[in-house]
Amino acid sequence: MRRIVRVAAVVLAAAAALVLVTLVRKGPEKPPAPSEVRVLHYNLCGAATVCPWNSGGSGPGTSVERVVQEASAFAPDLITLNEICATQYEALLDQLKDSGRPMHGTYASSQDNVPNCGPTGAYGTAVLSREAIEPGGPDYRRFSDTGDETYGNDGRTVAVRRGLLCAPTRSDGKPLLACTAHTYAKAPEQLREIRDWLAEGPVPKETAVVLGGDLNLQPNEPALGFLYAHAPGPGGRPTGRFLEGDETDRAWASQGSTGGVVCTDGEPERCRNGEPTADERKIDYTFADTRHFSGGDGDAKLFGESDHAMVTAVFTRR
């Protein structure tokens, strides 16, 4: 009987030692690294007369080719696009697939009388996602404040139907609403409409929101307060719930773009400023909501195909 007890004790000791060795090898559990969402935004200048090398095309030397090249290098989860023909959008999806980086997408036209855009003349915005777009589909809401904007070409004038295009998708298995807008400078209330449509309430609290767009307004203009979650300076009162991809770049805080807020070291690290995206102005943005994201890192690159810089941002999830 004693021999059996001794054998059992030896077996138990060996088992305990094995468990200890296993624990030592594994070490303490490390918390998972925070996930990221990578965003690329671009105003292609796809058919405007100031970008004749595009002229609605999608071949070598065009903005479409540039998006494919940069997407291959940057590996975005989301791409938001402005001033893109419907024909360029379809070509872009094909080229991304051929490059080994297929994406799902949705498109909305703001006007249909742009000759360079082919038979339909459709010209507008697009949202692309690495993950599938959810059933129920994308949503395009036209702005009620139009600024009475019209566009005339070849003797035909149409009302421009700008709006907010959103696509429900996912990131790291979590719901995400990816949106874009190309707003009119003479209708700043369009930014209020964006704020209201993307507010907590209309958007479920578990759904993260990312917005990229050419807003045609600069960071110090009052309408940007509808989006930014921090005031432009002391005493200001923010009304938005978004952080912007380039707002933590201290290199631009004290100089920045024309129309940016000049921040000093004594002020918060976040600054409503950033690298210029069109001439000396910052008018192209990437935003992510503060409920789901804790910070961002943005960049702007100017290429010859467009009169706007391509804006990229990496947002960190909370």
Side-chain angles (χ1 to χ4, degrees):
M1 183 67 178
R2 289 178 181 175
R3 185 166 180 264
I4 293 173
V5 172
R6 284 198 300 271
V7 170
V10 169
V11 170
L12 288 172
L18 180 60
V19 170
L20 181 61
V21 168
T22 302
L23 289 174
V24 169
R25 284 179 179 171
K26 279 187 69 177
E29 289 288 337
K30 293 183 178 180
S35 61
E36 297 177 338
V37 174
R38 303 174 70 82
V39 185
L40 184 155
H41 171 75
Y42 200 30
N43 179 324
L44 273 70
C45 191
T49 56
V50 294
C51 302
W53 37 85
N54 282 321
S55 298
S58 55
T62 66
S63 289
V64 172
E65 181 189 54
R66 178 64 66 184
V67 172
V68 175
Q69 291 174 349
E70 293 301 306
S72 297
F74 181 65
D77 299 294
L78 305 169
I79 298 177
T80 57
L81 303 168
N82 301 148
E83 293 195 21
I84 179 172
C85 299
T87 50
Q88 290 173 319
Y89 163 72
E90 296 294 343
L92 175 60
L93 289 178
D94 289 341
Q95 291 184 32
L96 286 169
K97 183 178 179 181
D98 291 343
S99 73
R101 189 165 293 279
M103 299 188 80
H104 307 268
T106 183
Y107 181 86
S109 173
S110 61
Q111 58 216 73
D112 60 1
N113 66 335
V114 181
N116 283 337
C117 288
T120 68
Y123 192 57
T125 60
V127 174
L128 279 63
S129 173
R130 185 169 54 84
E131 299 291 337
I133 294 174
E134 295 289 318
D139 182 26
Y140 185 61
R141 298 189 184 188
R142 294 181 185 175
F143 297 125
S144 59
D145 180 16
T146 65
D148 296 324
E149 183 186 11
T150 60
Y151 179 80
N153 206 303
D154 286 348
R156 179 171 172 245
T157 298
V158 301
V160 178
R161 307 177 302 274
R162 295 182 191 255
L164 179 69
L165 175 64
C166 291
T169 183
R170 302 187 78 82
S171 172
D172 290 327
K174 301 172 184 177
L176 185 147
L177 190 65
C179 303
T180 191
H182 185 195
T183 57
Y184 185 39
K186 295 181 180 179
E189 285 295 304
Q190 291 176 351
L191 274 74
R192 185 195 295 271
E193 294 186 59
I194 292 173
R195 181 200 65 182
D196 293 344
W197 287 335
L198 298 182
E200 298 171 4
V203 177
K205 65 179 181 180
E206 67 274 11
T207 299
V209 179
V210 171
L211 167 69
D214 170 7
L215 303 183
N216 276 313
L217 294 169
Q218 299 177 82
N220 66 345
E221 299 189 56
L224 263 296
F226 295 132
L227 300 182
Y228 275 105
H230 66 287
R237 181 176 297 178
T239 64
R241 70 179 187 110
F242 293 94
L243 55 91
E244 205 275 322
D246 213 23
E247 68 180 32
T248 59
D249 189 345
R250 300 303 295 172
W252 295 99
S254 60
Q255 48 183 8
S257 57
T258 302
V261 177
V262 176
C263 300
T264 67
D265 291 336
E267 293 182 29
E269 291 185 2
R270 298 169 65 181
C271 182
R272 276 169 58 168
N273 206 322
E275 196 168 354
T277 64
D279 297 322
E280 295 302 314
R281 302 172 300 148
K282 176 177 173 61
I283 59 175
D284 299 87
Y285 299 83
T286 54
F287 285 102
D289 76 271
T290 52
R291 176 186 285 273
H292 296 90
F293 298 94
S294 60
D297 181 24
D299 193 18
K301 294 181 180 179
L302 187 61
F303 300 103
E305 300 84 15
S306 175
D307 57 349
H308 287 252
M310 179 180 290
V311 178
T312 56
V314 180
F315 292 108
T316 303
R317 278 190 178 269
R318 289 191 179 277

